[in-house]
Amino acid sequence: MKLTLEPILSAKKVNAYFGAFQAIKDVSLDVAPHSVTALIGPSGCGKSTFLRTLNRLHEEIPGARFEGEVLLEGEDIYARGMDPVQVRRKIGMVFQKPNPFPSLSIFENVVVGLTLAGVRNRHLLEETAESALKNAALWDEVKDKLKAPGTSLSGGQQQRLCIARALAVKPPVILMDEPTSALDPISTARIEELLGEMKKEVTVIIVTHNMQQAARCSDHTAFFLLGELVEHARSPTLFSNPQDRRTEQYITGRFG
Amino acid sequence: MRNRAANLGDRRFQRTLMALSGSVVSVLGLIAVYLVKLSWPAIREFGLPFFWSTDWDPVKDHFGAGAFIFGTVTSSFLALLIAVPLSISVALFLTELAPRKIAALVAFMVEMLAAIPSVVYGLWGIFFLAPLLRLHVQPFLSRHFGWVFLFQGPPYGIGMFAAALILAIMVTPTITAICREVFRAVPETQREAALGLGATKWETIQLAVVKSSWSGIFGASILGLGRALGETMAVTMLIGNRNEISASLFAPGQTMASVIANEYAEAESSTHIAALAYVGLALFIVSFVTNFIARRIVLRLQGGASR
Ligand SMILES: Nc1ncnc2c1ncn2[C@@H]1O[C@H](COP(=O)(O)OP(=O)(O)O)[C@@H](O)[C@H]1O
Ligand SMILES: [Mg+2]
């Protein structure tokens, strides 16, 4: 598939292993800036593993190994001398289960990425917190209780707090690993709505096992099976006119 | 359907177990009652000022436990001051940094420390630790920090400093074990949240692990404190057993536990015995309350972690 714009993120021949087990096989994927790319596929096909190679979180697992290249704005994040800590500041992540820090307040949770980066200017922190919370559609609900613990919010609010926390450091790319799978339908709908807004600011790669969700809110969809990338296309195309038989079988619900 | 005989057997069995458990519980009550009874003459004669009067004089039959309370509090807190940071570090190393095999080995050895009998710690303290302190550590401290009142006076080796060190070693396994459990209960998703935000390993440990574990660390410390307060044998062997309050850590002292161990055999007057029992009663109450609080904290955390 040709992208009209230069890709902001580009995975080239990515292989990922857990010990001797190869979870990702030769996956190459280009991601256009300011787009939402959905990764779909049956459980265990390697969506999370692939996502976690994109911000070098994969290597934190004991025994995990990586081969290949991942270019962020043309620069290989796995290049020698690249600091994974710096990489992760540019590629944010939202996880399956909301995971705000219980010891931090709502406000502290939102700006924790900045404080980690050494920002101490109170005014700047407050400004950033407000805009990140607004972008995560949470501001109105929490503006009067910013000092309350992050974990005092509902599950859906906690997940939007985690999105705000990721947005606050203004990374060019945000990875989301099934961010709505632990949430109720209303919270899910709010976050799906949010994706459309978010892509004005960032590029989103989202794992979902919900095909309707992929069809509703992504520009591109990549279908994974047994660690391989089977098909990658514009979402309307992939869902209406899949090129690969395995994709067709999956989206028509014949397996997975 | 159960047959009746088996049912009867069941009930007898149940009653026996209940009676046995009841007798264990009543021992606690019996000890408390007996301590009060034994110490009653001293309670009547010396009342509350017993706890701050430092005049302990078997010859004149006048008793005050101030020096021992000072000794117990000082040695225990000093021990915690050393043991808590040490235990936190060891527990963090075990849960966050060490490869699994090394962690298992180190954890095993730390647990073995808890299995060493107190008197063996005492022997080691007398024949190894005290000479080391007397010949090297204390001269070094008085040379460089001698202007601090804590490090003044002749280096005896044996004294408050040695007692606190041995206590620190003895309570470290307890505190480490609980801290380790507390750190292990921190969900992996918390660590990933921190890593995902661009936290270094060290920042991840602080942000995701330590910050959410303070109440657990506190509970572990209080449990360690409970052990330190009541520890008798090793402290008696190392503290020097002198009934006075001294500002210097090098000086000998006395704790509530050590004075009882030292004097009960030679106590001749009934007032002396009552006074020792009064010290014992106070120690009993303090240990009981400390352990109660610590267990409450730790249990609540364990309940919270498994939820
Ligand atoms: N920590 C791990 N250790 C070993 N194998 C793992 C680990 N995590 C995932 N795997 C394996 O890698 C494969 C891909 O897993 P994953 O990426 O989590 O799949 P998905 O997110 O698509 O459900 C699965 O076969 C899974 O069992
Ligand atoms: Mg997954």
Side-chain angles (χ1 to χ4, degrees):
Chain A
M1 190 194 59
K2 275 259 153 38
L3 292 167
T4 43
L5 290 161
E6 274 290 292
I8 184 166
L9 191 84
S10 177
K12 294 189 189 302
K13 290 203 179 296
V14 167
N15 290 284
Y17 305 81
F18 293 104
F21 173 69
Q22 183 168 13
I24 295 295
K25 298 166 190 155
D26 252 345
V27 170
S28 298
L29 180 77
D30 286 345
V31 177
H34 298 285
S35 69
V36 176
T37 299
L39 311 183
I40 61 167
S43 181
C45 69
K47 306 178 294 291
S48 298
T49 306
F50 177 68
L51 197 71
R52 292 160 58 95
T53 64
L54 301 181
N55 68 344
R56 298 192 59 171
L57 210 51
H58 175 65
E59 68 203 45
E60 294 292 334
I61 294 170
R65 209 152 51 75
F66 171 91
E67 286 164 5
E69 281 178 15
V70 176
L71 307 182
L72 173 67
E73 292 165 333
E75 203 180 0
D76 184 8
I77 63 170
Y78 283 93
R80 190 167 299 224
M82 263 295 187
D83 181 0
V85 168
Q86 296 305 322
V87 168
R88 295 182 199 126
R89 290 196 176 150
K90 289 196 207 152
I91 307 182
M93 188 152 193
V94 176
F95 297 81
Q96 188 160 356
K97 259 182 71 187
N99 55 1
F101 298 112
S103 54
L104 302 190
S105 69
I106 293 173
F107 174 78
E108 289 165 333
N109 261 289
V110 179
V111 298
V112 67
L114 292 175
T115 46
L116 280 173
V119 178
R120 290 287 173 272
N121 181 333
R122 186 81 200 169
H123 185 67
L124 178 62
L125 291 178
E126 276 167 9
E127 242 175 36
T128 314
E130 181 170 344
S131 77
L133 283 167
K134 279 181 175 156
N135 288 336
L138 191 60
W139 175 250
D140 290 332
E141 289 154 68
V142 302
K143 63 170 187 269
D144 298 323
K145 49 173 177 176
L146 291 172
K147 289 211 171 85
T151 40
S152 64
L153 299 172
S154 75
Q157 290 174 323
Q158 286 188 25
Q159 193 63 304
R160 276 179 280 142
L161 179 60
C162 293
I163 293 174
R165 182 175 69 183
L167 287 171
V169 289
K170 300 195 167 63
V173 179
I174 288 190
L175 313 174
M176 300 178 128
D177 192 352
E178 304 196 29
T180 62
S181 67
L183 306 183
D184 60 275
I186 295 173
S187 305
T188 300
R190 296 206 63 165
I191 287 177
E192 287 183 6
E193 240 172 80
L194 204 53
L195 288 174
E197 290 294 310
M198 275 168 65
K199 69 181 180 189
K200 290 177 198 155
E201 313 278 337
V202 296
T203 304
V204 178
I205 304 175
I206 180 173
V207 170
T208 171
H209 60 212
N210 178 335
M211 274 178 285
Q212 285 74 34
Q213 185 168 66
R216 272 196 305 269
C217 21
S218 71
D219 304 299
H220 304 274
T221 297
F223 171 58
F224 281 74
L225 189 62
L226 297 171
E228 289 177 57
L229 176 59
V230 173
E231 190 167 349
H232 178 210
R234 289 192 179 283
S235 300
T237 319
L238 187 126
F239 285 105
S240 61
N241 188 18
Q243 299 300 301
D244 194 290
R245 271 213 35 225
R246 292 168 295 173
T247 315
E248 186 190 344
Q249 284 175 333
Y250 181 70
I251 62 177
T252 53
R254 253 170 282 168
F255 65 81
Chain B
M1 264 241 289
R2 291 204 206 166
N3 80 40
R4 209 171 269 171
N7 214 337
L8 196 68
D10 261 10
R11 251 189 265 153
R12 264 190 208 144
F13 181 59
Q14 223 172 37
R15 273 200 216 122
T16 313
L17 290 191
M18 233 153 84
L20 288 173
S21 324
S23 66
V24 172
V25 173
S26 58
V27 167
L28 189 69
L30 278 176
I31 290 178
V33 170
Y34 187 72
L35 269 177
V36 173
K37 186 167 163 263
L38 193 63
S39 55
W40 192 246
I43 296 176
R44 286 246 317 252
E45 189 168 344
F46 306 117
L48 281 180
F50 182 74
F51 295 110
W52 52 87
S53 154
T54 56
D55 179 24
W56 181 272
D57 192 343
V59 179
K60 289 196 212 122
D61 242 5
H62 188 276
F63 299 97
F68 320 138
I69 291 171
F70 172 84
T72 296
V73 169
T74 310
S75 60
S76 301
F77 275 93
L78 219 53
L80 284 193
L81 210 61
I82 301 164
V84 170
L86 179 67
S87 304
I88 294 175
S89 312
V90 173
L92 283 177
F93 173 73
L94 294 176
T95 54
E96 309 298 320
L97 299 171
R100 211 166 293 164
K101 273 188 193 152
I102 294 179
L105 185 72
V106 175
F108 174 75
M109 308 236 274
V110 172
E111 274 161 34
M112 288 322 283
L113 276 182
I116 298 175
S118 178
V119 67
V120 176
Y121 273 109
L123 282 176
W124 180 76
I126 286 179
F127 292 109
F128 176 80
L129 190 62
L132 181 76
L133 291 179
R134 187 178 64 239
L135 298 175
H136 302 287
V137 180
Q138 293 179 341
F140 172 85
L141 284 173
S142 39
R143 207 171 323 121
H144 296 279
F145 303 98
W147 44 275
V148 187
F149 64 87
L150 296 173
F151 306 120
Q152 288 168 354
Y156 293 115
I158 277 176
M160 185 62 80
F161 195 51
L165 273 182
I166 208 81
L167 276 178
I169 299 170
M170 293 176 77
V171 299
T172 291
T174 312
I175 305 179
T176 303
I178 308 255
C179 282
R180 199 166 159 232
E181 263 183 64
V182 170
F183 297 156
R184 257 203 295 217
V186 173
E188 202 48 41
T189 54
Q190 289 292 316
R191 297 183 181 85
E192 296 198 323
L195 286 174
L197 284 162
T200 60
K201 185 85 199 172
W202 172 233
E203 288 165 340
T204 301
I205 288 174
Q206 288 179 73
L207 183 62
V209 183
V210 178
K211 260 202 174 157
S212 57
S213 298
W214 279 123
S215 53
I217 293 171
F218 182 71
S221 309
I222 302 287
L223 210 58
L225 178 65
R227 256 204 91 180
L229 289 173
E231 174 49 45
T232 309
M233 198 62 209
V235 171
T236 309
M237 290 165 84
L238 280 171
I239 200 163
N241 305 308
R242 194 189 289 167
N243 302 345
E244 46 188 54
I245 291 180
S246 171
S248 170
L249 299 180
F250 297 172
Q254 186 80 283
T255 68
M256 295 161 84
S258 71
V259 74
I260 299 173
N262 267 314
E263 295 188 6
Y264 81 96
E266 290 130 44
E268 269 162 17
S269 78
S270 58
T271 321
H272 192 178
I273 292 174
L276 287 173
Y278 197 8
V279 175
L281 179 67
L283 189 56
F284 175 81
I285 293 171
V286 171
S287 306
F288 190 84
V289 171
T290 316
N291 275 288
F292 182 76
I293 295 172
R295 265 165 225 282
R296 285 286 296 262
I297 296 172
V298 172
L299 282 180
R300 201 186 60 219
L301 287 168
Q302 282 168 348
S306 62
R307 226 182 291 137

